[in-house]
Structures are given as C-alpha cells and as structure tokens.
Amino acid sequence: MTLPLEPIPSGSLPLAVRAPGKCILFGEHSVVLGGPEVVAAIDLFVQVGIRPRPAGPGPVPETNPYVREALARWWRDGTPLDLAVVSRVPKAAGLGSSAALCAGLVAGLGAAQGGLTRAELAARAFAVERGAQGVGSPGDTAASVAGGLVALNVDAGEELWSVAHGEQRWTVRRVPDPGWSWVVAHSGIPHDTASTVRAVGRRLAAPDGPALLERFRRVALDGLAAVGKEDPEATGRLLDENQRLLREVGVSHPKLEALLEAVRPAVYGAKLTGAGAGGSIVALPRPGRELEAQRRLARAGGQASVVRVETRGVCLVDRPTTVERAGSLPGDDPDDGAVR
Ligand code: PMV
C-alpha cells in the first residue's frame, strides 16, 4: 500500500522528531555513481528534541559535524538551541544513524520555521549529510524521510522526488513493501563510510569497473523485481549475489562473513548492508525462523534485531520520551569515520 507523503507541519519549539534508520537491500556503493539501489526504512529510530537554549552560561560550540552543518544551513533564525538526541540505531554500523540524525534534525528545524514538504526535507537532509561526510548518495536520507521501501535510479514506480549534487541527480521512487520481517546484525566493528566509498570509487575506476557496475545494476534491478513479485526465494538468492559482488570490490570483512555463515540455515539469503568493511548485515529469514536467525547471529557475536519496514518516515512526535543530550552522536567520536 502506498501512503501519502504528508508534509512536515509547522510547529513551535520545543518539539521532537522521530526518524527511522535504514537498511540497504540492494545496490549500495554503485548508487553513489548513479546505479540503482533499493533501501528500506526500518523500525529502529533516532529521536531529536529541540528547544530554545535557556538563558545562562554562553553557548557550548557545537562539535558534531552533522549538527553543525544542519544548523549552519537550515537554522536561519540563529537563536541558540538545546538539542537532545536518543538513538536506537547503532552508530557507524551501516544502519543509517547519521541519515536519521540529519533527517530528524532538519525536519525539526524546518517545522520550527513554518514547515516543509518531504521533497524539500529530502534535499536538505542530503545536503547536510553530504556536506558533513564529503561523499555519498541521497539513498539513506531518502529512506528516512519517505519511510517504507524506496528505489533510486530506476525507471518504474511512483516518483517521489529527485535530488541533485552538482551535475549528478538521483531519482527516488516508491516501492511497494511485501511486508516481510528482516533481521539485521551489527558486527560491532565501526566502519568509515567516507573512506570505504572512496576506496570502492577507486576500484570501480579500474578497467573492469564498468563491467562490475553493470553487474551491480543487474542484481539491484533483479532484486527490485523479486521484491515486487513478493518472491522471497529469488530475493534471497539476489541478496547472496549482491554480497558476492560487494566481496569482490573489497568491502566485506571476516566478521561479516562469519555472521553471514552463521545465519545461512535460517534465511533465504543475506548480505552486508551499508558501506561494509565492518558495520552490519541484513538477512531475509524463512517464515517463522526470525528468532532462530537472531539467535544464530547473537551466538556468532552480532548485535541482532528483527526489524520490519517502517512505513511513516520522519514525523513530529507529540509526547517525546524523556531525552537527554546524547553523549554520543554519529560523528562525535574521532574513530567514527563517517565524517572524515
Ligand atoms: O554505511 P552507511 O549507512 O553510511 O551507508 C552507505 C551506503 C553507500 O552506498 C556505501 C554510500 C551512500 O551514501 O549511498
């Protein structure tokens, strides 16, 4: 079912926003160069609370690069703010914590300045993520803003919006959700999106790059068709095939391979999700075997969750859970390479 994409309404401070994380089913990395990608918003959330800073000691300079970028670009008023962020999305794990932070914060700032459309929000959130990270595609922020399943750079399906950076433009379309459960597991190894994307870019610039890109394109389009036909067997096979390609371009990791091996008996297929070189895997469990898949991953050392596709995307929340200024946001740690 396709839900209408409601704009982010006007709201007054204090307010709070909830933004879903994401997992990429097909096409990460090649999407950066304009290839097709299929991404799901998942029911792990980041919540951002925004209020005017009470009078008192002078403002603390903001050090988080995503927050700095968002405030510099999209907080025209300039009034000092207090932000409170709570995240259920593990950081630097390929599950979209920085995209959800960008989408949630930019939605909140937009709401406080009169509201904005989802297309505007998608463009702004991507500008913030790309500005802070220096590389990347709008796939992650698009999934968090739109909710549900989305596909980038494909021909069929309802077009939601397109997003540009310089000469490059990515179209974002709605994909009907077959309603399956998925299992994600974080390897515990933080990854560096920017350097991994750059390394794959170099790999794809080699003489066999176009052939590799064509294989990425094929597997993502076949994966999209398998999801469209609600065919879990074919979807699983294509997840495995996409993993072989990701391995070939050098972004798998022994810990990811161990998780994939451990979960295999309980699933139709599985792959790393996100930039790789650490981070997480996503698996499509066989019916009734979600908890077995989760247990197998936990035994192999993964932090595993059964997730479903989150249909709503970013939204303002009426009664936020009590939030504190998070000590740890995506981009806060020197070893969180997402921002280098
Ligand atoms: O690892 P993440 O969650 O930052 O996802 C990166 C996905 C890439 O395709 C590798 C980069 C991008 O921006 O699309």
Side-chain angles (χ1 to χ4, degrees):
M1 181 180 56
T2 308
L3 293 172
L5 278 176
E6 289 162 11
I8 304 296
S10 175
S12 48
L13 298 180
L15 54 77
V17 186
R18 194 185 76 167
K22 62 89 217 226
C23 89
I24 299 173
L25 303 182
F26 300 102
E28 53 268 271
H29 285 294
S30 81
V31 68
V32 176
L33 300 171
E37 182 187 53
V38 183
V39 197
I42 56 175
D43 56 357
L44 298 175
F45 298 97
V46 170
Q47 185 175 289
V48 183
I50 308 175
R51 61 171 188 170
R53 184 185 297 274
V60 186
E62 184 52 62
T63 54
N64 182 279
Y66 299 102
V67 173
R68 247 190 357 239
E69 194 78 24
L71 293 174
R73 283 175 186 264
W74 308 117
W75 187 234
R76 299 272 171 250
D77 174 316
T79 321
L81 298 174
D82 263 348
L83 302 180
V85 182
V86 176
S87 177
R88 299 275 172 264
V89 187
K91 205 163 50 110
L95 296 175
S97 61
S98 37
L101 172 63
C102 295
L105 177 53
V106 171
L109 298 175
Q113 294 169 102
L116 73 175
T117 67
R118 296 264 159 181
E120 285 166 338
L121 173 56
R124 291 182 186 189
F126 172 55
V128 169
E129 191 181 45
R130 175 90 193 210
Q133 222 167 244
V135 292
S137 82
D140 296 7
T141 41
S144 189
V145 170
L149 276 176
V150 297
L152 279 79
N153 310 327
V154 301
D155 293 332
E158 176 203 353
E159 181 170 335
L160 299 179
W161 53 71
S162 67
V163 183
H165 180 82
E167 301 281 275
Q168 210 176 344
R169 180 168 287 279
W170 294 261
T171 54
V172 179
R173 292 178 193 269
R174 171 60 73 210
V175 176
D177 172 22
W180 299 327
S181 295
W182 299 84
V183 180
V184 294
H186 180 26
S187 62
I189 297 165
H191 70 189
D192 179 334
T193 300
S195 70
T196 310
V197 166
R198 289 196 178 97
V200 173
R202 287 191 294 275
R203 175 68 190 85
L204 294 174
D208 64 343
L212 279 166
L213 270 174
E214 176 52 27
R215 287 167 61 202
F216 270 105
R217 194 180 76 84
R218 202 58 270 162
V219 81
L221 293 180
D222 290 350
L224 178 63
V227 171
K229 286 189 209 133
E230 305 192 6
D231 180 343
E233 298 265 3
T235 304
R237 271 197 308 277
L238 289 155
L239 292 171
D240 290 343
E241 195 174 325
N242 199 157
Q243 173 61 19
R244 285 193 285 278
L245 265 172
L246 289 161
R247 204 180 284 143
E248 220 172 306
V249 298
V251 293
S252 196
H253 183 284
K255 183 79 189 277
L256 295 172
E257 293 295 332
L259 293 177
L260 294 170
E261 198 49 46
V263 79
R264 188 165 309 283
V267 301
Y268 289 111
K271 61 182 269 295
L272 71 83
T273 186
S280 300
I281 66 135
V282 58
L284 178 57
R286 292 179 182 275
R289 299 181 70 177
E290 294 83 356
L291 295 180
E292 179 195 339
Q294 189 181 11
R295 261 197 316 273
R296 286 175 170 278
L297 289 163
R299 258 190 250 121
Q303 299 154 34
S305 313
V306 179
V307 297
R308 294 186 76 90
V309 173
E310 158 61 26
T311 52
R312 269 191 81 182
V314 171
C315 59
L316 301 190
V317 286
D318 293 337
R319 276 175 295 132
T321 48
T322 309
V323 289
E324 296 162 3
R325 175 69 170 100
S328 180
L329 301 180
D332 270 350
D333 294 347
D335 68 347
D336 179 353
V339 292
R340 258 171 245 136

